[in-house]
Amino acid sequence: MADGGVPVRCPDCLREHLYAPSPLPCACGAPMTAPVARGAPATPVTERSWADEWVTVRCWACGHQGQWPRPELDCDCGAVLRVPVVPAPGAPVPDRSTAAPGTAAGDTAARPRPAFRPVTIRDARDAVTVAALYLRWLGYLNTRSAARRPPSGTRITARGMLAQVDPGLRRTCLRDIECLWLTAVTGTDDTPTTCAFFSLAGYTDEARARADALDVPLFILDLTGTPQPVNTAADDLIANGA
């Protein structure tokens, strides 16, 4: 990509912008940017669905292929534009034959985890994005939207993980914690499922007490985009990862 970004024209007002997607961290720590399709027309966002919010991108550093937030651009005319992307070309996978003794080829869990790179939270979508990125940072790489929506917020699933994100302005209550935990323990997947909660407004005292009793990790999302652990279960999840 040339310095300054890729030209993107608004189909509503025909104004042209130079757009460069913001880098986001892969689980391996490498900065990732979605491959913007040069010359392809942008489309206004008129309605949202989970499938349209994500694009498959392959990490240039470790070769992992995962789902990343689809780039968007706010035009001065008020339109929100979905910037077209193309699948990343086949990136060379680094040679793991020189891995440290006792480390299996391609085993990222044995390497020290890099620092999490925050993403500023401006709206509910950003809160879900931060939670998904944080789960990937913990080692839950294939995050996606849960098929069943909770009464409030959004649920994210990965192999062995069910997480709920509450971007609302009310504190998360006891019932929210119990519903998440019950859904996790009664799932049909053969893989044991851990659950975790991410809240923007925090938790009631009853919710924190029940989460401690059920060993549910709790995190608070601050606006700088760095989830903060609230209880011991969250500290343990950070320490051990997936």
Side-chain angles (χ1 to χ4, degrees), residues 198-216:
F198 295 82
S199 176
L200 193 63
Y203 304 88
T204 65
D205 292 341
E206 293 82 2
R208 293 184 60 169
R210 184 56 55 90
D212 290 342
L214 298 175
D215 201 29
V216 175

Side-chain angles (χ1 to χ4, degrees), residues 112-236:
R113 188 189 305 143
F116 178 73
R117 300 186 181 186
V119 177
T120 301
I121 295 177
R122 296 161 298 183
D123 53 29
R125 181 173 179 267
D126 289 338
V128 176
T129 297
V130 167
L133 290 173
Y134 198 76
L135 291 175
R136 292 174 194 164
W137 178 72
L138 290 171
Y140 298 98
L141 301 182
N142 297 315
T143 56
R144 61 190 185 278
S145 175
R148 297 176 58 185
R149 295 181 61 87
S152 63
T154 300
R155 282 185 182 159
I156 303 171
T157 64
R159 185 171 178 81
M161 169 58 72
L162 175 66
Q164 185 162 332
V165 185
D166 186 353
L169 299 180
R170 68 168 182 85
R171 291 194 296 169
T172 298
C173 66
L174 179 149
R175 179 175 179 272
D176 295 327
I177 302 298
E178 290 182 333
C179 288
L180 174 65
W181 176 83
L182 187 61
T183 303
V185 299
T186 58
T188 58
D189 195 342
D190 293 336
T191 302
T193 299
T194 299
C195 59
F197 212 109
F198 295 82
S199 176
L200 193 63
Y203 304 88
T204 65
D205 292 341
E206 293 82 2
R208 293 184 60 169
R210 184 56 55 90
D212 290 342
L214 298 175
D215 201 29
V216 175
L218 301 181
F219 296 89
I220 286 181
L221 296 170
D222 64 36
L223 296 182
T224 64
T226 302
Q228 301 294 335
V230 172
N231 59 358
T232 301
D235 291 330
D236 291 343

Side-chain angles (χ1 to χ4, degrees), residues 25-130:
C26 178
C28 73
M32 294 274 296
T33 54
V36 177
R38 183 181 294 271
T43 56
V45 177
T46 56
E47 58 182 26
R48 293 189 179 278
S49 69
W50 181 267
D52 291 335
E53 300 293 325
W54 302 88
V55 61
T56 301
V57 179
R58 189 178 186 188
C59 177
W60 59 267
C62 70
H64 172 71
Q65 185 169 286
Q67 298 293 310
W68 299 87
R70 186 179 294 274
E72 290 184 356
L73 171 66
D74 294 329
C75 182
D76 296 337
C77 71
V80 178
L81 306 179
R82 183 168 289 128
V83 181
V85 298
V86 295
V93 178
D95 182 10
R96 305 299 189 188
S97 60
T98 58
T103 302
D107 182 8
T108 59
R111 298 200 302 268
R113 188 189 305 143
F116 178 73
R117 300 186 181 186
V119 177
T120 301
I121 295 177
R122 296 161 298 183
D123 53 29
R125 181 173 179 267
D126 289 338
V128 176
T129 297
V130 167

